Amino acid sequence: IPELPAMAALDLRRWLVALLVGSLAAVQVAGGAPWFWPPGGDDPGGCLSWRVMVEANNAKFWRAVPAPCVGYVWAYMSWGQYGRDVSSAADQIAAYASQAPAGDDGLDAWVLDIDDTCLSNLPYYQAKQFGARACRAYDPAAFKAWASRGACPGIPAMVRLFWVLKGGGFRVFLLSGRDEEALGASTAANLAAAGFAGYDRLILRSAGYRGQSSVVFKSAERRRLAAEEYRIRGNVGDQWSDLQGDNAGDRVFKVPNPMYFVP
């Protein structure tokens, strides 16, 4: 695996600093509950059970992290368990890819989502308290301003996985619902700074797909890849909508994200 670029190392340091700052910040939680977790008991408030339902796609169309679980999600994302879970998923993906190696024709491909699969938006969603109380988790104007900065930290395990796939001879396509016109340049620069260099294509949402669901948009783009005779050997995303629909791939892998839901 190639040595990560200097900017990727800097990005990792930014990630660690962001998590430390987030962990030390105070968050107002409904009912005056402490922001830290756990306040006592094995699973007070049922927040662990809620997260399992979210990851299993049993809690569909939820709009925000339940207010009593903001502290739980904060701690999960910031104190190491999330990183370990993503690393475990990346290890499984790499193991699978090694068992189904790329052919010599250059048409075996992997599709990776971007937001909270390759690049982390944790600082943005922490500031929004994950949509609890009066905050909206996803505000289009606020998210555009955040993403336009090109400062989203790269997720270390996914940077390593990216290079494993590239080193294995796979074509790697990055497919995101970000707006192509508004965020294309900043997204490309952010990916390069985070260590995602040499991908085969960056596919963002064009004007024709504005207002369409993620499943509709991503299905259409994967069909386009299939029409170009690419074989999608694997598909990785943090949302179930990244992994559903047409030409989803021979195998799909979901990385954890209890921060928000994209239909």
Side-chain angles (χ1 to χ4, degrees):
I1 304 172
E3 183 178 350
L4 294 183
M7 283 301 294
L10 177 60
D11 195 62
L12 176 58
R13 289 196 292 273
R14 284 188 195 142
W15 166 268
L16 294 174
V17 170
L19 294 187
L20 178 60
V21 171
S23 298
L24 295 176
V27 177
Q28 179 65 36
V29 180
W35 69 274
F36 52 84
W37 196 267
D42 293 332
D43 186 20
C47 296
L48 174 58
S49 296
W50 173 82
R51 182 173 66 83
V52 171
M53 286 193 297
V54 164
E55 299 298 355
N57 204 28
N58 292 332
K60 294 187 177 182
F61 305 113
W62 52 282
R63 295 180 177 273
V65 173
C69 296
V70 168
Y72 171 84
V73 172
W74 190 294
Y76 170 75
M77 296 296 299
S78 303
W79 292 354
Q81 188 59 54
Y82 166 76
R84 290 189 291 272
D85 289 348
V86 174
S87 292
S88 294
D91 289 344
Q92 292 297 317
I93 297 167
Y96 171 77
S98 70
Q99 295 166 6
D104 296 330
D105 59 5
L107 293 174
D108 288 307
W110 279 74
V111 174
L112 307 183
D113 172 56
I114 294 177
D115 284 303
D116 297 297
T117 299
C118 293
L119 301 178
S120 174
N121 295 298
L122 177 58
Y124 169 84
Y125 285 102
Q126 282 180 327
K128 291 286 186 178
Q129 297 184 41
F130 310 107
R133 295 173 66 83
C135 298
R136 293 173 59 191
Y138 180 75
D139 178 300
F143 185 81
K144 178 181 175 182
W146 156 254
S148 294
R149 293 168 53 194
C152 300
I155 298 175
M158 299 307 293
V159 177
R160 293 192 297 270
L161 175 65
F162 172 82
W163 285 106
V164 166
L165 295 175
K166 290 292 295 180
F170 291 100
R171 297 294 188 95
V172 179
F173 297 96
L174 303 184
L175 175 57
S176 170
R178 288 188 177 197
D179 186 270
E180 183 177 43
E181 181 179 353
L183 296 174
S186 60
T187 299
N190 198 160
L191 287 164
F196 295 94
Y199 49 80
D200 288 273
R201 195 178 306 170
L202 173 60
I203 306 170
L204 304 179
R205 188 187 294 265
S206 62
Y209 286 105
R210 288 175 186 159
Q212 298 287 332
S213 72
S214 180
V215 173
V216 169
F217 160 63
K218 293 195 171 186
S219 289
E221 294 298 338
R222 292 192 301 262
R223 283 197 300 270
R224 194 165 287 127
L225 292 175
E228 295 175 32
E229 299 188 350
Y230 287 108
R231 298 179 291 270
I232 301 176
R233 296 307 191 192
N235 183 6
V236 186
D238 67 294
Q239 300 290 318
W240 283 101
S241 54
D242 298 329
L243 311 174
Q244 296 171 330
D246 297 341
N247 299 96
D250 293 349
R251 177 80 186 271
V252 300
F253 292 88
K254 186 184 182 301
V255 295
N257 182 357
M259 298 188 292
Y260 59 87
F261 175 84
V262 178

